[in-house]
């Protein structure tokens, strides 16, 4: 059902007049930020030196963003509803900076940008200038949880903020250019996951001004009927507002916002009163206004307003062209700034009174500064979940299963009386596949649809979020964290690359947030990568790719952490640390299949705290004769097993060779300490790897990642890294490591090649290893499984000779 919003008596003329003046003030400040470095309030005629030498802002979307801000302020004052404003259109920054300045929040956060003429001057000079603020609605903008630079994430962040925030209304502006992106297209599915009983609401505002940078948008050229059909099919009840006359548009937009809010509260009241679970048809507003509304209609005889030419800087020659400068002054004076600001430069009292008070101001809402709402995560002690390890490398367990049991109890401890809570797991249809299914003992998968008798743990009120989109899962979690809660994103390793750019953007957000004292710390984004490249032998090459490691390693060292726990107890220890941490992006990589277990929980805690350890029990340098002949190192579960098997071969065949075994769990520790807070000191690095012994390093990901991290360490050429070489197929687990030359036999050959000395029987062992590789090649093709001595290998079982 679609509607065309119409004006009513709820909006008296005198109130409309005030709102239009507030909007004029916002538009004036927006234009001033883009163009002016001096003469901010036009105390004298505009001159060329008043204009910035570089004009970098974007005007086209800003008037629409400001118009909605006006109407949401009106709604908040009328109802007391806490609102979060998510601005999706790129480069809408000056509009939201202007709005938060007018409401007073901006000057509270940045006192140097005061509410007077000098403050307006500083507001203008800082925008898109060195040392200033960017043109997006960035982390520096009060009230924002969303960086609009990379388009597509507005609705997904809005939904994440709404989950478990029952009183919150998230108004999310979606630009029609942004609406063309894949993530945003998927985000319209929110009604299938939003629970009216325990969640807040998302009010999308699809802002259609017709154009991207240089061409029209698909949505902008679509009819109202086409748009209504699509949105209705996704569970929305759209209301349309359109026009170019400000008075008429403001009346219709006020009605649309007011009636949408009232309908949302009706839906929530019915659900919370025990009504039958139904998909209600959530309100959504479609707003059509001209691109560059109220800006120059024409420049040099060419139409600007209502075309793509209004997207960025409508007047580009103002530094030198007198006619353009005159048009800019006419444009600025069309807003009558002398009626909006006092002689001292403050907003006139009747307009200042239009802002909500205190934390109800959208720039001041704690929902946009989630650290203010965050409470520490209630984690139980780990001991009940620990795997019993009677001896290292002798028993198997599914590494991620104990973590699932821990998450089950985290859910139980953090669920509130209304069915909400402060923790959620987000996973693309893979919770059980990734062995985290214990969470279903206390909650279900969430879906606002009919539940069939054949469904498994599915409910409209479940709080495990499964949707087959990495963008939605990660984006929901980001919005959830930035508004003050806790969570985990678990996904198949190869397909984490789908949302890799999202990870990059979140790291950038946290990196800049750390420089802003007013931004309170938020829970870290923790990503568990499982179903890894080494154990996707059943799915094949498409599922084999550790690329997210390489994506995050170069990013901010103050933010990024990468963990490669080799077994279940180390995964528990690291997960406990990550889920309690703030302002980081934690990448945890641990496969879901049964793996050998090595460390007790106590040992795991010590190992995780150290970042890397010498496993004395696996080496052969206990004779006190000095440095080892060769160091074997490993990072990751499969590399650890292969390295231990190689160490055992060396122990049995060449017992006089002095071998050291090092396991690395905190990958960023390999960096020099000046390059990362977790970087191992030079002393600790030498204690692990010595100062000059060659190191054969088996690594979970692409070998180049380790070489990149070791740059700056003494003699990094002595590290010989074996890892994933982009070789894969549907095959056996051991064939995967053989294809990538990281098998135990490859590691032994490399260790003997790099050893300080050639031990007795070393050549014989090399021949044995090569024969085993040849035997493996034929065996797996004949028997369709790995050789018994490989398939059944455990530490100390005496099967190393085959």
């Amino acid at each position: 059902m679609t509607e065309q919003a119409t004006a009513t008596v709820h909006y008296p003329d005198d109130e409309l007049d005030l709102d239009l003046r507030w909007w004029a003030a916002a538009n004036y400040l927006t234009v001033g930020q883009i163009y002016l470095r001096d003469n901010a309030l036009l105390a004298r005629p505009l001159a060329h030196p008043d204009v910035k030498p570089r004009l970098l802002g974007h005007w086209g979307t800003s008037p629409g963003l400001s118009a909605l801000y006006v109407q949401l302020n009106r709604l908040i004052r009328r109802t007391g509803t806490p609102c979060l404003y998510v601005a999706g259109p790129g480069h809408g920054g000056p509009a939201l900076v202007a709005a938060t300045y007018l409401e007073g929040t901006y000057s509270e956060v940045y006192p140097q940008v005061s509410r007077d003429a000098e403050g307006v001057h500083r507001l203008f000079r800082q925008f898109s200038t060195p040392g200033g603020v960017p043109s997006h609605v960035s982390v520096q903008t009060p009230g924002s949880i969303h960086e609009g630079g990379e388009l597509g994430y507005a609705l997904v962040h809005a939904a994440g903020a709404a989950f478990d925030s029952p009183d919150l209304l998230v108004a999310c502006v979606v630009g029609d250019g942004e609406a063309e992106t894949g993530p945003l297209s998927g985000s319209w599915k929110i009604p299938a996951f939003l629970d009216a009983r325990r969640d807040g609401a998302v009010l999308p505002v699809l802002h259609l001004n017709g154009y991207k940078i240089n061409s029209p948008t698909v949505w902008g050229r679509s009819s109202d009927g086409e748009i209504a059909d699509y949105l209705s099919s996704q569970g929305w009840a759209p209301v349309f507002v359109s026009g170019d006359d400000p008075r008429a548009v403001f009346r219709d937009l006020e009605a649309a916002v007011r009636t949408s809010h009232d309908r949302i509260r009706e839906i929530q009241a019915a659900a919370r009163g025990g009504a039958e679970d139904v998909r209600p048809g959530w309100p959504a507003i479609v707003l059509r206004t001209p691109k560059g509304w109220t800006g120059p209609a024409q420049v040099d005889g060419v139409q600007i307003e209502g075309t793509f030419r209004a997207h960025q800087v409508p007047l580009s020659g103002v530094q030198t062209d007198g006619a353009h400068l005159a048009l800019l002054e006419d444009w600025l004076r069309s807003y009558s700034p002398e009626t909006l600001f006092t002689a001292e430069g403050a907003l006139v009292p009747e307009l200042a009174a239009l802002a909500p008070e205190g934390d109800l101001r959208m720039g001041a809402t704690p929902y946009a500064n989630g650290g203010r709402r965050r409470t520490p995560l209630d984690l139980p002690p780990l001991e009940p979940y620990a795997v019993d390890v009677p001896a290292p490398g002798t028993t198997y367990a599914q590494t991620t299963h104990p973590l699932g049991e821990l998450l089950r109890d985290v859910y139980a401890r953090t669920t509130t009386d209304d069915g909400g809570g402060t923790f959620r797991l987000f996973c693309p249809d893979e919770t059980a596949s990734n062995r985290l299914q214990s969470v279903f003992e206390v909650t279900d998968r969430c879906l606002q649809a009919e539940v069939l008798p054949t469904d498994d743990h599915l409910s409209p009120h479940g709080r495990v979020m499964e949707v087959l989109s990495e963008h939605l899962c990660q984006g929901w979690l980001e919005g959830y964290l930035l508004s003050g809660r806790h969570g985990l994103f678990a996904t198949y390793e190869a397909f984490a690359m789908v949302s890799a750019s999202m990870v990059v953007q979140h790291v950038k957000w946290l990196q800049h947030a750390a420089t802003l004292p007013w931004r309170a710390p938020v829970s870290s984004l923790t990503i568990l990568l499982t179903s890894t490249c080494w154990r996707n032998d059943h799915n094949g090459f498409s599922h084999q790719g550790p690329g997210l490691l390489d994506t995050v390693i170069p990013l901010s060292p103050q933010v990024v952490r990468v963990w490669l726990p080799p077994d279940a107890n180390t995964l528990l220890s690291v997960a406990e640390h990550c889920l309690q941490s703030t302002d980081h992006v934690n990448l945890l990589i641990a496969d879901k299949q049964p793996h050998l277990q090595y460390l007790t929980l106590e040992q795991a805690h010590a190992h995780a705290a150290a970042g890397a350890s010498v496993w004395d029990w696996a080496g052969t340098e206990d004779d006190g004769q000095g440095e080892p002949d060769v160091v074997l190192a490993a990072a990751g579960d499969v590399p650890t097993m292969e390295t231990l098997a190689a160490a055992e071969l060396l122990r049995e065949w060449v017992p006089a060779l002095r071998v050291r075994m090092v396991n690395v769990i905190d990958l960023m520790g390999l960096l020099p300490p000046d390059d990362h807070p977790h970087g191992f000191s030079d002393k600790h690095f030498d204690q692990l790897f010595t100062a000059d012994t060659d190191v054969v390093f088996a690594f979970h990901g692409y070998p180049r990642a380790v070489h990149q991290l070791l740059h700056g360490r003494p003699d990094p050429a002595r590290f010989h890294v074996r890892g994933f070489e982009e070789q894969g197929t549907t095959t056996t687990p051991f064939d995967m490591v053989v294809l990538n030359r990281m098998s135990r036999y490859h590691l032994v050959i490399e260790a003997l090649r790099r050893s300080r000395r050639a031990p007795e029987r070393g050549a014989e062992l090399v021949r044995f290893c090569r024969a085993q590789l040849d035997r493996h090649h034929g065996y797996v093709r004949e028997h369709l499984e790995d050789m018994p001595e490989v398939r059944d290998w455990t530490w100390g079982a005496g099967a190393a000779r085959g």
Side-chain angles (χ1 to χ4, degrees):
M1 180 67 179
T2 67
E3 299 179 11
Q4 183 74 30
T6 56
T8 71
V9 295
H10 290 275
Y11 205 179
D13 285 341
D14 58 341
E15 296 183 15
L16 172 59
D17 290 340
L18 286 172
D19 285 349
L20 287 170
R21 290 177 62 200
W22 196 98
W23 184 53
N27 289 335
Y28 179 86
L29 294 180
T30 299
V31 180
Q33 288 177 80
I34 295 172
Y35 282 97
L36 299 185
R37 64 176 175 181
D38 205 355
N39 196 14
L41 291 173
L42 300 182
R44 52 178 169 75
L46 204 59
H48 290 300
D50 296 330
V51 179
K52 294 177 180 177
R54 301 171 72 239
L55 304 177
L56 302 176
H58 288 62
W59 164 247
T61 190
S62 293
L65 293 174
S66 300
L68 179 65
Y69 211 98
V70 173
Q71 296 305 330
L72 290 171
N73 276 347
R74 168 169 288 277
L75 175 73
I76 295 167
R77 295 197 318 273
R78 179 174 69 86
T79 65
T81 297
C83 288
L84 176 63
Y85 192 116
V86 176
H91 297 283
L96 273 294
V97 168
T100 55
Y101 178 78
L102 290 174
E103 73 183 15
T105 307
Y106 203 90
S107 297
E108 292 173 8
V109 172
Y110 304 108
Q112 70 276 18
V113 186
S114 49
R115 303 184 75 181
D116 54 22
E118 180 58 28
V120 176
H121 173 74
R122 289 178 176 170
L123 187 79
F124 288 2
R125 283 187 62 90
Q126 71 176 9
F127 179 76
S128 285
T129 55
V133 299
S135 61
H136 303 129
V137 186
S138 63
V139 64
Q140 292 97 330
T141 308
S144 174
I145 63 164
H146 178 78
E147 223 287 11
E150 181 170 307
L151 300 179
Y153 306 147
L155 261 182
V156 69
H157 285 157
F163 293 146
D164 293 320
S165 297
D167 299 326
L168 181 64
L169 175 66
V170 187
C172 179
V173 184
V174 177
D176 46 355
E178 178 187 26
E180 296 179 353
T181 66
L184 200 290
S185 296
S187 297
W188 292 111
K189 298 178 180 66
I190 293 171
F193 299 94
L194 200 67
D195 184 357
R197 290 192 185 181
R198 53 129 201 271
D199 295 332
V202 176
L203 176 60
V205 180
L206 179 58
H207 185 207
L208 305 180
N209 53 41
Y211 296 92
K212 304 185 283 286
I213 295 176
N214 287 110
S215 59
T217 61
V218 173
W219 284 97
R221 295 290 170 92
S222 301
S223 69
D224 287 358
E226 291 169 329
I227 295 170
D229 287 345
Y230 180 82
L231 293 181
S232 297
S233 75
Q234 301 299 299
W236 303 100
V239 178
F240 289 79
V241 176
S242 62
D244 58 7
D245 174 40
R247 295 189 72 85
V249 171
F250 264 56
R251 285 195 180 279
D252 291 345
L253 185 56
E254 185 277 336
V257 170
R258 174 170 40 79
T259 57
S260 295
H261 170 268
D262 293 347
R263 175 58 182 148
I264 287 168
R265 291 308 189 216
E266 289 174 4
I267 293 169
Q268 292 173 332
R272 294 166 191 180
E276 181 181 356
D277 294 320
V278 294
R279 291 182 65 179
W282 292 94
I285 296 173
V286 182
L287 173 64
R288 291 187 189 266
T289 59
K291 190 89 165 180
W293 196 17
T294 74
Q298 290 187 346
V299 177
D300 298 332
V302 178
Q303 183 180 343
I304 301 297
E305 184 184 27
T307 76
F308 67 88
R309 296 177 181 88
H311 179 73
Q312 293 177 304
V313 181
L315 295 165
S316 58
V318 290
Q319 296 99 333
T320 58
D321 188 313
H324 280 209
L325 184 67
L327 284 173
L328 175 58
E329 182 163 4
D330 290 344
W331 179 12
L332 286 164
R333 293 194 185 279
S334 72
Y335 300 118
S336 303
E338 70 280 359
T339 70
L340 309 175
F341 301 95
T342 67
E344 293 74 27
L347 188 65
V348 295
E350 65 269 25
L351 298 185
L354 298 180
E357 296 182 355
D359 284 352
L360 284 177
R361 293 171 298 172
M362 287 183 285
T365 176
Y367 290 95
N369 193 356
R372 291 177 54 194
R373 301 180 65 229
R374 180 185 183 270
T375 57
L377 183 62
D378 185 9
L379 281 172
L382 296 185
E383 283 74 13
Y385 314 99
V387 172
D388 183 33
V389 182
T394 58
T395 57
Y396 277 85
Q398 292 177 335
T399 296
T400 56
H401 186 266
L403 176 62
E405 295 180 317
L406 172 66
L407 298 181
R408 172 199 63 202
D409 295 343
V410 171
Y411 262 110
R413 294 163 76 101
T414 58
T415 299
T416 54
D417 292 340
D418 63 357
T422 57
F423 176 87
R424 289 204 191 193
L425 171 65
F426 300 81
C427 187
D429 189 31
E430 297 156 1
T431 303
S433 173
N434 288 331
R435 312 299 191 262
L436 303 175
Q437 68 270 23
S438 295
V439 296
F440 296 131
E441 296 173 26
V442 296
T443 189
D444 297 319
R445 300 174 176 89
C446 177
L447 188 67
Q448 308 300 314
E450 180 184 6
V451 177
L452 303 178
T454 52
D455 289 329
D456 179 45
H457 291 99
L458 186 71
S459 165
H461 312 301
R463 295 182 58 253
V464 174
M465 309 306 292
E466 282 194 349
V467 60
L468 199 51
S469 166
E470 288 78 11
H471 282 124
L472 295 192
C473 288
Q474 184 178 323
W476 284 346
L477 175 56
E478 289 176 356
Y480 199 67
L481 299 174
L482 290 169
S483 54
R485 279 72 64 77
H486 308 264
L488 177 74
F489 171 40
T491 187
Y492 286 6
E493 180 183 49
F495 305 131
M497 290 301 292
V498 171
S499 55
S501 185
M502 231 177 189
V503 177
V504 174
Q505 294 298 320
H506 195 73
V507 171
K508 291 176 184 292
W509 177 280
L510 294 177
Q511 179 181 349
H512 277 187
T515 67
L516 302 171
W518 60 272
R519 285 272 182 194
V522 295
S523 299
S524 298
L525 172 63
T526 298
I527 304 172
L528 172 65
L529 302 184
T530 185
S531 297
T532 63
C533 59
W534 302 108
R535 285 296 184 264
N536 251 300
D537 39 78
H538 58 300
N539 276 320
F541 198 35
S542 65
H543 285 57
Q544 295 160 351
L548 192 62
L549 256 176
D550 296 72
T551 299
V552 304
I553 282 173
L555 303 179
S556 169
Q558 301 302 320
V559 177
V560 169
R561 306 288 184 265
V562 179
W563 304 91
L564 291 159
D567 64 2
N569 288 335
T570 51
L571 176 59
L572 284 172
S573 180
V574 169
E576 177 186 55
H577 168 78
C578 291
L579 291 172
Q580 291 175 325
S581 68
T582 59
D583 293 343
H584 292 156
V585 169
N586 300 306
L587 191 62
L588 281 71
I589 305 173
D591 187 62
K592 67 187 183 183
Q593 303 291 355
H595 287 270
L596 285 170
Q597 304 296 303
Y598 308 108
L599 303 181
T600 66
L601 183 61
E602 182 179 2
Q603 291 168 336
H605 284 317
H607 185 44
S613 305
V614 176
W615 285 6
D616 293 323
W617 53 270
T620 56
E621 54 169 338
D622 54 358
D623 56 5
Q625 298 301 309
E627 297 286 3
D629 296 313
V630 68
V631 175
L632 298 180
D637 40 29
V638 170
T640 295
M641 181 178 71
E642 290 304 308
T643 302
L644 287 170
E648 189 169 75
L649 281 165
L650 293 168
R651 176 190 291 267
E652 294 193 5
W653 282 80
V654 287
L657 192 71
R658 306 188 72 253
V659 178
R660 177 179 295 179
M661 164 65 185
V662 177
N663 188 264
V664 177
I665 183 173
D666 182 354
L667 190 64
M668 306 309 276
L670 296 177
L671 282 167
D674 290 343
D675 293 340
H676 196 281
H678 284 202
F680 301 143
S681 68
D682 292 341
K683 179 180 179 181
H684 184 43
F685 190 86
D686 288 350
Q687 288 172 341
L688 292 169
F689 301 110
T690 79
D692 54 8
T693 305
D694 277 37
V695 180
V696 177
F697 200 129
F699 177 57
H700 174 86
Y702 297 110
R704 62 176 178 260
V706 174
H707 290 299
Q708 176 183 348
L709 293 168
L710 291 170
H711 180 75
R713 293 291 188 181
D715 192 15
R718 66 190 173 97
F719 285 78
H720 314 284
V721 185
R722 297 297 179 98
F724 188 74
E725 296 180 342
E726 205 60 28
Q727 299 297 317
T729 184
T730 303
T731 186
T732 67
F734 188 66
D735 198 43
M736 275 298 298
V737 295
V738 171
L739 288 172
N740 290 277
R741 302 186 301 165
M742 198 190 71
S743 76
R744 59 199 67 183
Y745 303 123
H746 288 98
L747 297 177
V748 166
I749 294 170
E750 187 72 4
L752 291 170
R753 178 187 175 201
R754 303 297 181 179
S755 172
R756 292 182 189 273
R757 56 194 174 94
E760 184 181 355
R761 299 191 69 205
E764 183 182 353
L765 175 55
V766 169
R767 288 193 295 273
F768 169 78
C769 289
R770 288 175 174 158
Q772 284 291 88
L773 289 170
D774 290 340
R775 177 169 171 256
H776 156 81
H777 183 82
Y779 189 95
V780 295
R781 283 154 181 79
E782 178 181 355
H783 298 279
L784 311 182
E785 62 178 349
D786 288 322
M787 300 182 297
E789 62 267 37
V790 170
R791 185 180 67 243
D792 302 328
W793 181 85
T794 57
W795 176 260
R801 293 175 182 268

